[in-house]
Structures are given as structure tokens and as C-alpha cells.
Amino acid sequence: MNAFSDGDDSTSGEVVLAKCINHALIFSLNYGSPYLKGCLITESKKTTNNQSSLDRQCFSEKNTPESVWFGKYNTLIVIYNSSGIGEWSGKYIIYDNAREDAYASNVLPKKTGYDIYYIKSN
């Protein structure tokens, strides 16, 4: 099974992040481009025939995530935007599974309602 939602079965590379946090797996691969590609894989709260499924939230950035925020209605992957140039014009790049696209911000969201797990890469 391919963990990435883009269907690219050829993705392989050096693992630069692999952590289990809050009953979820987050990982990033460096596969030769200037970007790291990764996913957060969690168990879905939805069940079919009394079986759980997996949800995945993928990302591709120059840095590994610095934290994952688990909320009641959404999950955020926060990546520090060290270059601050190019496509993103903010201090943080935030992947929110309740939104279709990631966004940049100079401030972090309010912490109320989230369990926050800080990540240090391998």
C-alpha cells in the first residue's frame, strides 16, 4: 500500500523522520529533491462494518514538521518555514486536514482545544 495520496508508487528515499505520536505515525522521506515528502497516518474515527480505516494527511516541504496538533474536529501539521520565500510568505506552513489546501501564517493558531505534540527529527 502506498502511503502517499498522489498514487506515486515510485516514492522512496532516506527516512528523515519517523515517530509514533498520539496513536498516529508521522514520517518524512528525502528522496533527492529539495523537498521532503511525508504523511501523518491516523486511525479514522469512522468505521465500516465495525472496522477502522486509516486517514492520511500528506505534505511536501523543505523542513520536517515541528509539531502536530490533534483537535476534536481537525488535525494540524505545523512546519517552520525557515526560508520564508517562494510560495509561502509566513513563518509557519500549516496543513489542516479540515481544509483543502495548506496555508502560511506568521502566528500559530490558538492552542485551545488541541493536544500538541512537538517533534524532533531523527
Side-chain angles (χ1 to χ4, degrees):
M1 179 176 110
N2 184 349
F4 297 106
S5 59
D6 61 9
D8 181 5
D9 289 330
S10 65
T11 303
S12 63
E14 175 190 3
V15 175
V16 294
L17 170 66
K19 299 280 183 191
C20 289
I21 53 172
N22 195 36
H23 306 286
L25 169 67
I26 188 164
F27 66 90
S28 292
L29 301 174
N30 180 347
Y31 59 99
S33 72
Y35 293 92
L36 303 172
K37 190 171 186 177
C39 276
L40 174 70
I41 300 174
T42 58
E43 185 176 37
S44 174
K45 296 191 182 344
K46 302 173 188 171
T47 59
T48 305
N49 298 329
N50 292 327
Q51 294 190 13
S52 299
S53 63
L54 298 178
D55 283 336
R56 62 181 169 214
Q57 185 177 356
C58 296
F59 54 90
S60 181
E61 298 299 336
K62 291 184 178 182
N63 294 325
T64 59
E66 70 171 34
S67 59
V68 179
W69 299 32
F70 293 94
K72 185 175 182 178
Y73 301 107
N74 65 329
T75 302
L76 307 176
I77 299 172
V78 177
I79 301 171
Y80 181 69
N81 187 21
S82 61
S83 59
I85 58 173
E87 182 180 343
W88 302 112
S89 58
K91 187 174 178 181
Y92 303 99
I93 303 165
I94 301 171
Y95 284 76
D96 182 342
N97 69 342
R99 295 175 65 150
E100 189 163 321
D101 296 318
Y103 64 95
S105 177
N106 283 319
V107 295
L108 291 171
K110 293 183 181 182
K111 295 179 179 183
T112 305
Y114 289 99
D115 291 328
I116 301 170
Y117 293 81
Y118 295 95
I119 301 169
K120 292 184 180 180
S121 60
N122 297 341

